[in-house]
Amino acid sequence: MASYATWLESSIDGTRLELDRLQSMHAGRPLLVRYDLERARREVRREVLAGRERDLWRYGELLPVQRRENIVSLGEQATPLLACPRLGAQLGLEHLTIKDESHLPTGSFKSRGMALAVSRAKELGVTRLALPTAGNAGGAAAAYAARAGLECYVFMPKDTPLVNRLEAGLHGAKAFLVDGLIDDCGKVVREGAEAMGWFDLSTLKEPYRLEGKKTMGLELCEQLDWTLPDVILYPTGGGTGLVGMWKAFDELARLGWLEGEWADGRRPRLFACQSAGCAPIVRAFDAGERHALRFENAATVASGLRVPAAVGDFLILDAVRASGGQARAVAEERLLPWMFRASSAEGLGICPETAACFAVLEDLVNEGVVSPESRVVVWNTGAAQKYVEALEAPLPELPALGDIDWAAL
Ligand SMILES: *Cc1c(COP(=O)(O)O)cnc(C)c1O
């Protein structure tokens, strides 16, 4: 299962850079891993996957790790794609499914990106990692760094959810709270990088987290027998998930692995979902811009969406527009009710980021943008259990035992 990765390409001007050297960005914008897909198309049949482990490393030809012994893994199994008929009926949809990423190591899809980023960092000789995080990325980076035996420094806003604040330390990272937002934390990493010898693992500032997120698109397509859904809703912060999926669909098409109309160029409509408390991508989408301005005073309970400025803004907006989808925001007040409603309808633990997707979906169905017979996939990017503050808030207090009025419960 040799990698077909060939070079790194600048996303802004197409400049090619060497693959087997530590690279971060080019002209201040992300680098993309390119593969020799012509050769892969001739040499690799999708049937080879049948005999492999059901984890993300099964797509090794389309991943950048050069030697298998450099893989840093915590057992990233394929996540379930679950039909949700009860929740679908509430929304007026016949085919609603949830791709449940809460099963992954450290309880969020961030492990996909970190598995690849840390594997490549190790492969290229890095010993010290650092990153800013809005929440789940810090825990995932700390866990994979520990697994690889690398040092890790994590910088997060001081009002990051409790579990995220604790888990980085749990896995032995040097974790720090910063009085500011994720981009302020990013500044600390940038300024300290040289003196501290850090390799910066920030979203899209190195090319490999994106390749890990890409496996979401590969896995979804394989689970749907090499077809794709009509509509995808994705909670969008830094955007690697959405951009990674879009890249996956493109690579699958070039490999000739897609079926039917999907092979002929049809793509799912992508909906990038944000909270009105931090909606830079939605604002740029509505204004017809390709780049987003920083969103001032960003505030949302969905910490993964609290990204006021995304270095890959144009990659997100290009993908959403090319897909015929939209970037949409919903009022912050709708997030927690939807988190509870979706979680209680089907027994899945829906994170507040994904709650934004359900509120958007409600609007899209009401507006007729998404029709009842559409095949819809909503991405549950993390485990509800990681958001203890959000979970605790609406619980009614139980009376002391003995005073319980059973009829009132
Ligand atoms: C990081 C994160 C997001 C945002 O993901 P991007 O791919 O960076 O847009 C959404 N949900 C959760 C739970 C996250 O941790």
Side-chain angles (χ1 to χ4, degrees):
M1 203 196 306
S3 169
Y4 283 73
T6 46
W7 62 77
L8 299 171
E9 187 182 285
S10 160
S11 60
I12 202 85
D13 63 14
T15 304
R16 287 184 185 186
L17 299 177
E18 216 179 302
L19 181 70
D20 276 317
R21 178 184 302 179
L22 209 53
Q23 312 266 18
S24 36
M25 295 199 289
H26 175 78
R29 292 292 179 177
L31 292 172
L32 304 173
V33 183
R34 293 302 183 201
Y35 298 82
D36 188 348
L37 296 172
E38 294 285 308
R39 189 163 67 82
R41 186 184 177 109
R42 291 191 304 270
E43 296 176 357
V44 189
R45 297 268 150 270
R46 66 189 191 199
E47 286 73 23
V48 299
L49 297 174
R52 295 182 185 169
E53 281 286 323
R54 297 205 61 79
D55 61 15
L56 62 76
W57 305 104
R58 67 198 268 101
Y59 308 111
E61 287 89 349
L62 297 177
L63 293 176
V65 176
Q66 299 298 296
R67 295 211 315 277
R68 275 194 85 77
E69 65 264 30
N70 291 325
I71 287 177
V72 180
S73 171
L74 290 164
E76 305 74 20
Q77 297 297 301
T79 61
L81 184 63
L82 297 164
C84 292
R86 196 167 294 111
L87 188 54
Q90 287 185 22
L91 284 158
L93 290 168
E94 292 159 27
H95 306 288
L96 174 65
T97 51
I98 295 179
K99 179 83 168 141
D100 191 6
E101 301 280 296
S102 68
H103 295 241
L104 286 163
T106 70
S108 90
F109 78 122
K110 288 291 193 298
S111 48
R112 291 185 189 265
M114 288 306 168
L116 266 297
V118 174
S119 295
R120 275 299 275 170
K122 183 182 161 204
E123 188 160 70
L124 296 173
V126 170
T127 56
R128 264 188 172 186
L129 306 166
L131 80 161
T133 175
N136 289 313
Y144 282 89
R147 188 76 168 146
L150 305 182
E151 256 190 287
C152 186
Y153 290 73
V154 175
F155 298 89
M156 56 196 135
K158 64 174 196 250
D159 51 354
T160 297
L162 178 66
V163 172
N164 295 140
R165 272 180 274 147
L166 299 178
E167 64 184 345
L170 173 70
H171 296 303
K174 296 197 171 71
F176 301 89
L177 298 177
V178 175
D179 188 8
L181 289 168
I182 185 171
D183 50 352
D184 300 306
C185 300
K187 211 173 298 164
V188 177
V189 172
R190 232 171 19 252
E191 286 169 1
E194 203 182 307
M196 295 299 293
W198 287 332
F199 184 65
D200 187 347
L201 279 185
S202 303
T203 297
L204 287 168
K205 290 189 184 166
E206 60 76 57
Y208 302 115
R209 281 175 70 180
L210 182 66
E211 294 304 294
K213 301 281 186 80
K214 182 180 83 178
T215 62
M216 294 194 294
L218 303 175
E219 202 174 287
L220 174 69
C221 185
E222 188 183 2
Q223 284 172 318
L224 294 174
D225 292 325
W226 308 106
T227 70
L228 293 168
D230 300 315
V231 170
I232 290 176
L233 287 97
Y234 186 85
T236 303
T240 39
L242 233 155
V243 174
M245 264 190 265
W246 192 246
K247 188 169 188 283
F249 302 154
D250 179 57
E251 291 176 4
L252 288 169
R254 286 165 194 261
L255 282 174
W257 286 14
L258 296 175
E259 288 290 332
E261 57 190 335
W262 308 104
D264 300 332
R266 199 182 151 203
R267 291 288 174 272
R269 279 190 292 159
L270 300 181
F271 289 88
C273 305
Q274 300 194 308
S275 160
C278 184
I281 299 300
V282 175
R283 209 171 47 184
F285 181 83
D286 290 342
E289 303 283 348
R290 196 170 178 232
H291 293 283
L293 295 170
R294 184 178 196 268
F295 198 94
E296 300 302 329
N297 305 314
T300 169
V301 62
S303 45
L305 306 186
R306 205 159 56 126
V307 181
V311 59
D313 50 5
F314 65 108
L315 297 173
I316 306 169
L317 287 157
D318 287 356
V320 166
R321 289 188 174 116
S323 78
Q326 301 174 10
R328 298 281 295 238
V330 290
E332 177 69 16
E333 294 69 38
R334 294 172 70 191
L335 264 51
L336 288 187
W338 261 111
M339 179 178 173
F340 280 77
R341 187 172 166 194
S343 297
S344 54
E346 298 280 359
L348 283 75
I350 301 296
C351 64
E353 290 82 357
T354 296
C357 296
F358 282 109
V360 168
L361 185 54
E362 181 179 38
D363 294 348
L364 295 174
V365 174
N366 287 339
E367 292 166 23
V369 178
V370 169
S371 58
E373 67 282 0
S374 302
R375 295 193 311 150
V376 177
V377 173
V378 175
W379 232 270
N380 187 36
T381 41
Q385 293 87 335
K386 297 190 81 174
Y387 301 81
V388 286
E389 297 97 328
L391 290 174
E392 198 172 42
L395 277 189
E397 215 166 302
L398 274 180
L401 215 59
D403 305 333
I404 298 179
D405 175 1
W406 297 107
L409 289 184

